[in-house]
């Protein structure tokens, strides 16, 4: 996968920019916010696999319709129908339409978020990303400059690229929340919990 | 597997692929991992495109000395002091002891510089004499596309088999389209016109969206937003204007010395730009034109052996890399037979 396929590019250009809105949407429908990233992944998989068969003409509506269907499927599977559930979905209908026509970040906003994300990284990780992405050094050049093994540098690139992706696509609110919750968080309720 | 694990794996692959030690055996393993689950592929696409877009961060390093990591918090500090361009650090101040940020007074200088650059980005008017420069060549192979963010914030998408040279300077922004096609989303900057040169034509924009395609001397300009001016550098034919203004929804086809303009061509504009989402869209096109279009995206070329079928009218949406679907349609819906070999695909009448 040296270059992304046209479908991959389509996905990156038409679907991923709505990630923040999608996460907000999912976290409203689902009381356990810890589930949001997994739900988000599942929505993406459905959208991508469906786009392999036919590219939807209105990507954003399709994305949110898919998210809604996913939520409906899950609840059906769980065979628990709460009264709030239908109300939730009605609310979601409105919500989707209200998500402004373009939630895409302006160039300036994106730069600001990226710079902010960069500053949240540890010293070494920040230096690695700066040298690799901003100054355009190769992995080898960067590792020589920082006096570390290439393998170690890869670990930092791996961490850094995840942080950048959250800055570009995700919602900061959720990012912070997840970070502070840590990995040992307690589940605070099921998705179908009213 | 939960999304966090998938993302972590994808990030590790991403980082490993960047190393010089990457082998073809690694590539095979990686491809297997990608193919295993759609979630893998998506996680990787997401990281890769975030990394691409993070190229925007390069705007922050304009005017800075290489190898010095600016201190935390300095990148987006509020601009309070004005810094003259002469305050740029000199090369001998290069401090390669990363990652430890240099201490004051260097740090303060970084802060001030970064602040000035931010101010320039924010106001969109004041451009630091030395900042926001870019000088690069970009090219794509057949069947690939590339999105690039320039130092001034403009974005461009390079279509299949294309080559450009970019010069972004304080006074002007200049692109040479040597071959192929590109779509431009120009960052607004009234002081620096954005000029695309394609053969004899110069396409000039301030802040707008348009595409330029070049086939030898023929140049096609499609405008989706704002206005661009197309100038001819060759000697014009008598009575022919040297320049034309194109508004949104206009298409200009031109050869040296002449320009043919079509306004209010919304659907046609969409059709001509469908390549950006990986599609070729034909509406009542001749088979000959469709084949020529497909051949731009594929190394195995289609050849029409029989001129009689070249005029068949076809329509439809196709993935640009998926000639098989196209050939299948031809064979089932039209009196065309297909003879495929490894090097080429010959179309004959049936």
């Amino acid at each position: 996968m040296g270059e992304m396929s046209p479908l991959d590019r389509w996905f990156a250009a038409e679907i991923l920019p709505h990630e923040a809105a999608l996460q907000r949407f999912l976290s409203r429908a689902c009381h356990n916010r810890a589930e949001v990233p997994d739900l988000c992944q599942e929505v993406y998989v459905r959208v991508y696999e469906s786009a392999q068969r036919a590219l939807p003409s209105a990507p954003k509506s399709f994305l949110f319709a898919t998210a809604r269907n996913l939520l409906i499927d899950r609840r059906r599977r769980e065979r628990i129908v709460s009264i709030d559930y239908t109300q939730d979905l009605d609310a979601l209908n409105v919500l989707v339409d209200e998500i402004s026509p373009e939630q895409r970040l302006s160039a300036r906003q994106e730069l600001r978020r990226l710079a902010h994300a960069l500053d949240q990284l540890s010293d070494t990780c920040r230096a690695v990303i700066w040298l690799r992405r901003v100054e355009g050094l190769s992995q080898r050049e960067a590792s020589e400059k920082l006096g570390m093994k290439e393998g170690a540098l890869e670990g930092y690139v791996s961490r850094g690229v995840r942080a950048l992706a959250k800055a570009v696509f995700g919602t900061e609110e959720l990012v912070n929340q997840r970070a502070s919750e840590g990995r040992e968080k307690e589940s605070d309720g099921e998705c179908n919990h009213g | 597997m939960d999304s966090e694990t998938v993302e972590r794996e994808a990030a590790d692959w991403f980082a490993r692929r960047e190393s010089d030690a990457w082998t073809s055996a690694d590539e095979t393993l990686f491809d297997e991992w990608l193919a295993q689950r759609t979630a893998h592929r998506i996680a990787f696409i997401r990281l890769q495109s975030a990394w691409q877009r993070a190229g925007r961060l390069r705007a922050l390093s304009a005017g800075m000395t290489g190898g010095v990591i600016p201190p935390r918090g300095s990148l987006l500090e509020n601009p309070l002091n004005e810094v003259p361009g002469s305050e740029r650090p000199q090369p001998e101040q290069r401090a390669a002891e990363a990652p430890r940020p240099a201490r004051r007074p260097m740090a303060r200088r970084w802060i001030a510089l970064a602040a000035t650059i931010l101010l320039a980005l924010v106001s969109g008017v004041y451009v630091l004499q030395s900042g926001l420069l870019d000088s690069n060549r970009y090219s794509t192979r057949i069947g690939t596309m590339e999105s690039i963010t320039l130092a001034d914030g403009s974005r461009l998408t390079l279509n299949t088999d294309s080559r450009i040279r970019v010069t972004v300077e304080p006074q002007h922004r200049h692109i040479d389209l040597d071959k192929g096609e590109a779509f431009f989303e120009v960052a607004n900057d009234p002081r620096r016109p954005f000029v695309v040169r394609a053969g004899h034509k110069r396409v000039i924009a301030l802040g707008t969206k348009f595409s330029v395609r070049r086939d030898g001397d023929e140049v096609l300009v499609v405008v989706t937003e704002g206005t661009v001016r197309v100038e001819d550098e060759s000697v014009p034919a008598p009575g022919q204007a040297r320049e034309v203004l194109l508004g949104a929804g206009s298409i200009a086809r031109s050869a040296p010395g002449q320009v043919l303009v079509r306004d209010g061509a919304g659907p046609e504009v969409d059709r001509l730009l469908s390549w950006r989402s990986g599609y070729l869209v034909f509406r009542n096109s001749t088979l000959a034109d469709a084949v020529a279009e497909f051949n731009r995206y594929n190394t195995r070329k289609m050849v029409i052996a029989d001129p009689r079928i070249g005029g068949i009218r076809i329509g439809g949406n196709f993935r640009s890399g998926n000639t098989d679907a196209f050939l299948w349609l031809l064979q089932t819906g039209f009196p065309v037979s297909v003879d495929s070999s490894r090097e080429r695909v010959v179309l004959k009448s049936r």
Side-chain angles (χ1 to χ4, degrees):
Chain A
M1 165 149 179
E3 281 88 18
M4 290 199 254
S5 78
L7 181 62
D8 294 346
R9 283 176 190 284
W10 172 85
F11 193 85
E14 300 295 335
I15 299 298
L16 290 178
H18 301 297
E19 182 166 296
L22 177 66
Q23 287 180 341
R24 275 195 296 276
F25 174 93
L26 292 170
S27 59
R28 275 219 200 175
C30 183
H31 290 258
N32 180 5
R33 289 201 166 190
E35 286 192 49
V36 169
D38 291 351
L39 284 173
C40 189
Q41 171 184 274
E42 207 171 328
V43 173
Y44 281 167
V45 167
R46 285 188 181 196
V47 168
Y48 189 93
E49 289 180 347
S50 156
Q52 280 175 324
R53 294 187 291 272
L55 216 53
S57 57
K60 186 179 144 206
S61 318
F62 184 74
L63 172 68
F64 284 97
T66 307
R68 207 159 30 220
N69 289 339
L70 174 73
L71 293 171
I72 292 169
D73 286 356
R74 278 171 65 99
R75 305 215 181 172
R76 219 173 257 154
R77 234 185 354 242
E78 285 155 355
R79 302 180 61 132
I80 299 168
V81 179
S82 83
I83 296 166
D84 288 345
Y85 153 59
T86 41
Q87 289 172 348
D88 276 356
L89 284 191
D90 285 347
L92 291 179
N93 273 315
V94 178
L95 183 69
V96 173
D97 297 336
E98 277 175 356
I99 291 167
S100 77
E102 253 342 307
Q103 290 277 2
R104 287 174 201 229
L105 299 174
S106 73
R108 178 158 43 92
Q109 284 170 318
E110 190 170 301
L111 181 64
R112 194 174 283 162
R113 292 182 71 148
L114 284 165
H116 183 71
L118 198 65
D119 275 356
Q120 301 301 304
L121 301 173
S122 73
D123 278 356
T124 317
C125 191
R126 186 168 172 274
V128 167
I129 299 298
W130 180 270
L131 293 177
R132 287 279 294 107
R133 195 62 193 115
V134 180
E135 298 201 1
L137 300 192
S138 75
Q139 212 138 283
R140 175 170 296 165
E141 289 165 336
S143 61
E144 277 166 12
K145 178 147 269 176
L146 297 174
M148 64 168 76
K149 291 222 170 73
E150 259 202 73
L153 189 111
E154 279 169 22
Y156 289 111
V157 170
S158 168
R159 220 169 300 162
V161 70
R162 293 177 63 199
L164 292 175
K166 285 202 172 73
V168 173
F169 298 121
T171 57
E172 275 173 64
E173 179 199 347
L174 280 170
V175 173
N176 294 339
Q177 185 150 5
R178 289 201 89 206
S180 60
E181 276 171 348
R183 301 220 61 206
E184 70 293 336
K185 69 212 165 243
E186 297 282 324
S187 151
D188 63 350
E190 295 304 313
C191 204
N192 51 12
H193 161 80
Chain B
M1 210 186 326
D2 72 302
S3 57
E4 179 147 357
T5 315
V6 171
E7 188 186 275
R8 195 165 288 153
E9 282 183 19
D12 288 346
W13 278 115
F14 178 85
R16 281 184 54 200
R17 272 188 100 228
E18 299 279 319
S19 87
D20 301 308
W22 185 256
T23 64
S24 59
D26 291 332
E27 184 75 25
T28 309
L29 284 174
F30 171 63
D31 284 342
E32 276 168 18
W33 178 83
L34 270 185
Q36 238 169 43
R37 292 178 54 202
T38 306
H40 291 176
R41 187 169 191 94
I42 288 167
F44 192 82
I45 296 169
R46 182 171 171 275
L47 295 176
Q48 196 176 41
S49 78
W51 185 255
Q52 256 173 28
R53 284 170 67 173
R56 190 180 286 291
L57 282 168
R58 273 186 297 219
L60 295 177
S61 75
M64 293 193 184
T65 312
V68 181
I69 288 90
R72 207 178 285 277
S74 68
L75 295 172
L76 293 174
E77 198 117 303
N78 238 338
L80 295 173
N81 320 322
E82 203 180 323
V83 181
S86 60
E87 280 286 280
R88 287 179 65 204
Q90 300 304 306
E92 57 268 28
Q93 288 175 310
R94 174 180 283 262
E97 285 71 42
R100 280 273 152 248
R103 300 290 171 204
R104 274 144 235 294
M106 282 286 280
R108 210 180 314 134
R109 198 171 284 177
W110 290 130
I111 293 169
L113 242 177
T116 312
I117 290 162
L118 182 71
L119 177 66
L121 289 169
V122 168
S123 66
V125 175
Y126 175 71
V127 176
L128 186 66
Q129 194 63 20
S130 56
L132 313 183
L133 309 183
D134 202 338
S135 174
N136 272 308
R137 288 156 189 268
Y138 300 96
S139 59
T140 48
R141 295 201 308 269
I142 290 178
T144 68
M145 242 195 267
E146 184 80 38
S147 292
I148 298 147
T149 303
L150 302 181
D152 69 330
S154 298
R155 292 186 194 211
L156 59 90
T157 311
L158 218 49
N159 199 2
T160 176
D161 195 21
S162 305
R163 191 173 64 231
I164 57 163
R165 286 169 286 150
V166 176
T167 317
V168 174
E169 285 176 351
Q171 315 303 337
H172 69 279
R173 299 174 285 178
H174 198 105
I175 311 277
D176 281 292
L177 178 64
D178 292 334
K179 66 168 179 171
E181 182 170 19
F183 182 77
F184 302 92
E185 294 165 85
V186 179
N188 190 28
D189 185 348
R191 297 205 179 173
R192 285 194 290 180
F194 191 97
V195 180
V196 180
R197 186 199 297 263
H200 295 284
K201 292 288 182 290
R202 276 155 46 93
V203 184
I204 300 152
L206 295 174
T208 177
K209 298 185 183 178
F210 63 101
S211 77
V212 180
R213 170 172 168 180
R214 178 176 177 191
D215 295 308
D217 275 344
E218 276 179 43
V219 177
L220 174 74
V221 181
V222 180
V223 184
T224 60
E225 221 179 278
T227 307
V228 304
R229 188 169 79 232
V230 179
E231 291 179 357
D232 201 314
E233 290 183 331
S234 60
V235 183
Q240 188 93 40
R242 278 190 74 90
E243 58 177 62
V244 288
L245 281 179
L246 298 179
S250 309
I251 298 166
R253 290 175 197 276
S254 65
Q258 53 176 334
V259 181
L260 192 67
V261 178
R262 203 173 136 199
D263 292 325
E268 182 69 357
V269 165
D270 290 344
R271 193 182 74 77
L272 289 170
L273 294 176
S274 57
W275 59 267
R276 290 182 302 148
S277 43
Y279 271 75
L280 298 179
V281 178
F282 303 114
R283 295 279 174 267
N284 201 25
S285 310
T286 63
L287 180 58
D289 285 345
V291 162
E293 199 60 22
F294 263 110
N295 282 345
R296 292 176 66 204
Y297 296 86
N298 295 284
T299 43
R300 193 173 64 150
K301 308 292 184 199
M302 283 184 267
V303 182
I304 299 178
D306 190 340
R308 274 180 304 170
I309 60 172
I312 292 176
R313 295 280 169 173
I314 61 155
N317 302 358
F318 301 89
R319 296 252 172 81
S320 48
N322 190 355
T323 42
D324 290 344
F326 178 70
L327 293 172
W328 179 82
L329 174 90
L330 284 181
Q331 283 171 298
T332 51
F334 298 91
V336 174
S337 73
V338 174
D339 191 1
S340 302
S341 69
R342 197 207 289 254
E343 296 79 30
R344 57 186 200 154
V345 179
V346 180
L347 307 181
K348 296 177 185 150
S349 87
R350 179 155 56 106

